[in-house]
Amino acid sequence: MSVQTSAGDDDIASDFAPRLLAWYDRAARVLPWRIAPGSDDTPDPYRIWLAEVMLQQTTVAAVAGYFARFTERWPTVVDLAAANDADVMAAWAGLGYYARARNLLACARAVVADHGGCFPDTEAALRALPGIGDYTAASVAAIAFGRPAVVIDANVERVVARHRLIETPLPLAKRAVRAALAPLVPRGRPGDFAQALMDLGATICTPRAPDCATCPLADGCRSHGRSDIERLPVKPPKKAKPHRHGLAHWIEREGRVWLVRRPGKGMLGGMRALPGGDWTDAPPADSGIVQVDHSFTHFDLTLILVRGEIPLAAAEGEWWPISKLDAAGLPTLYRKLTDKMLERDG
């Protein structure tokens, strides 16, 4: 796969980073995990890594509150490594993609056990840690340690695909985006360069109605002025998601409800939840008390709540005060279900 080139590409390569960084110096977003451009402060690898893990598949607005609570409760990677698994899973509740929380703990403990509590400073060493993939390794290497890494998230992918007019559909386009971006990464300020591209995609080169008139990279952008710019990057056709069904049991006694902890691996692993059986393709016969619809990455789910009996003594679980369900750390699916149940009961 090739990237389109032209006689002006050398000029674009030499001018791209300076123009982008000059814009970033004026317009950088203020984020709780970020060191402002021009600051003398030293980036904290722990805070950068934590933010990048939280931001996967999630918006900045959704992450800010979680980040503040995590760093207040566990201010260093050593603190997080020593945390109770259940406490971390409860604190993560609502962010989704719960395997990230399990990997978060595994990574923190590997940093403490294998690296003396200090994050390694190269992409290769970072990538060897649990739960750290290519993007997170490149991001931490560039932002925390000033390594000239090629950092590509969805915002960066969109900026580069439009700037270089890469019309190959995703995911095949990722290779062309990387090939186009790699020679543009400066050896000086690579972390600011990566964050500037992220900011540009988040605030100017947006999926809909990009503000091309204020873009610092408009000169030399092959998509500038095109009426079809919003279609880039080209996405593959969406596949229909399968629909699954499940039952959850509301077992109540003396103002408390019975909660269980889901198995450590699999969907919502390690999280507190209402008890229930497997999720299946066929809907249950019982219409239940209330139901919720929830969308996961690979399937949609309809979960029906039914009243259940007091569990057997051998069953693993705990009686949780209904008045304090907010503190149980239930994942979004079960929060939606319990909220609907409590609203029904008034």
Side-chain angles (χ1 to χ4, degrees):
M1 183 182 302
S2 62
V3 179
Q4 297 182 36
T5 59
S6 68
D9 280 354
D10 289 343
D11 292 337
I12 291 170
S14 63
D15 201 31
F16 189 98
R19 282 189 288 132
L20 180 65
L21 288 169
W23 170 81
Y24 181 69
D25 288 341
R26 301 188 306 270
R29 290 180 293 174
V30 177
L31 300 174
W33 48 84
R34 177 178 286 179
I35 299 298
S39 172
D40 292 330
D41 292 338
T42 301
D44 182 350
Y46 168 66
R47 292 171 68 87
I48 293 164
W49 161 75
L50 179 62
E52 291 297 348
V53 174
M54 287 185 167
L55 285 165
Q56 293 168 20
Q57 308 289 335
T58 316
T59 65
V60 167
V63 163
Y66 284 89
F67 181 84
R69 291 189 291 273
F70 258 77
T71 51
E72 180 179 359
R73 189 169 182 181
W74 302 294
T76 70
V77 69
V78 175
D79 295 317
L80 183 60
N84 179 275
D85 290 42
D87 290 342
V88 173
M89 297 303 292
W92 190 273
L95 266 178
Y97 301 92
Y98 294 97
R100 291 181 296 161
R102 297 193 294 273
N103 285 333
L104 197 77
L105 275 168
C107 183
R109 289 164 182 166
V111 169
V112 171
D114 302 333
H115 299 277
C118 298
F119 278 86
D121 63 359
T122 66
E123 280 188 82
L126 286 163
R127 201 180 297 114
L129 292 169
I132 293 189
D134 292 344
Y135 165 74
T136 304
S139 185
V140 174
I143 299 170
F145 300 111
R147 302 286 188 182
V150 181
V151 182
I152 303 175
D153 70 354
N155 284 319
V156 176
E157 192 172 69
R158 183 167 58 256
V159 170
V160 176
R162 289 174 176 175
H163 194 271
R164 298 289 77 206
L165 191 56
I166 296 170
E167 299 190 274
T168 305
L170 293 170
L172 292 177
K174 292 178 182 292
R175 188 182 304 171
V177 168
R178 176 171 291 275
L181 182 59
L184 304 177
V185 177
R187 298 200 66 81
R189 301 183 65 187
D192 283 350
F193 177 83
Q195 293 174 109
L197 279 175
M198 295 175 193
D199 280 12
L200 190 70
T203 62
I204 289 181
C205 195
T206 49
R208 298 286 176 265
D211 187 8
C212 298
T214 65
C215 179
L217 303 177
D219 291 343
C221 176
R222 292 176 177 163
S223 299
H224 184 55
R226 292 177 63 109
S227 61
D228 63 347
I229 190 171
E230 291 185 359
R231 72 181 178 86
L232 297 170
V234 179
K235 296 178 175 60
K238 284 189 175 181
K239 295 181 179 179
K241 287 184 181 181
H243 198 117
R244 304 178 73 182
H245 303 264
L247 283 177
H249 298 276
W250 182 268
I251 304 169
E252 183 179 343
R253 184 175 69 184
E254 299 175 353
R256 296 172 181 262
V257 64
W258 185 254
L259 299 181
V260 297
R261 194 170 294 281
R262 292 181 61 84
K265 294 184 179 180
M267 297 296 298
L268 311 180
M271 304 294 293
R272 287 192 184 97
L274 295 170
D278 294 335
W279 300 337
T280 63
D281 294 333
D286 197 324
S287 60
I289 309 167
V290 295
Q291 76 173 46
V292 296
D293 295 311
H294 190 77
S295 184
F296 292 103
T297 303
H298 301 297
F299 65 93
D300 294 323
L301 173 70
T302 296
L303 191 60
I304 293 175
L305 185 65
V306 298
R307 291 196 182 277
E309 301 296 327
I310 296 175
L312 297 174
E316 294 184 4
E318 58 190 316
W319 290 107
W320 195 275
I322 295 174
S323 62
K324 297 182 179 179
L325 272 173
D326 285 349
L330 295 175
T332 302
L333 168 63
Y334 290 97
R335 280 295 305 273
K336 288 163 65 174
L337 201 59
T338 57
D339 286 351
K340 206 165 183 178
M341 176 66 180
L342 296 178
E343 182 181 344
R344 174 188 178 278
D345 284 356

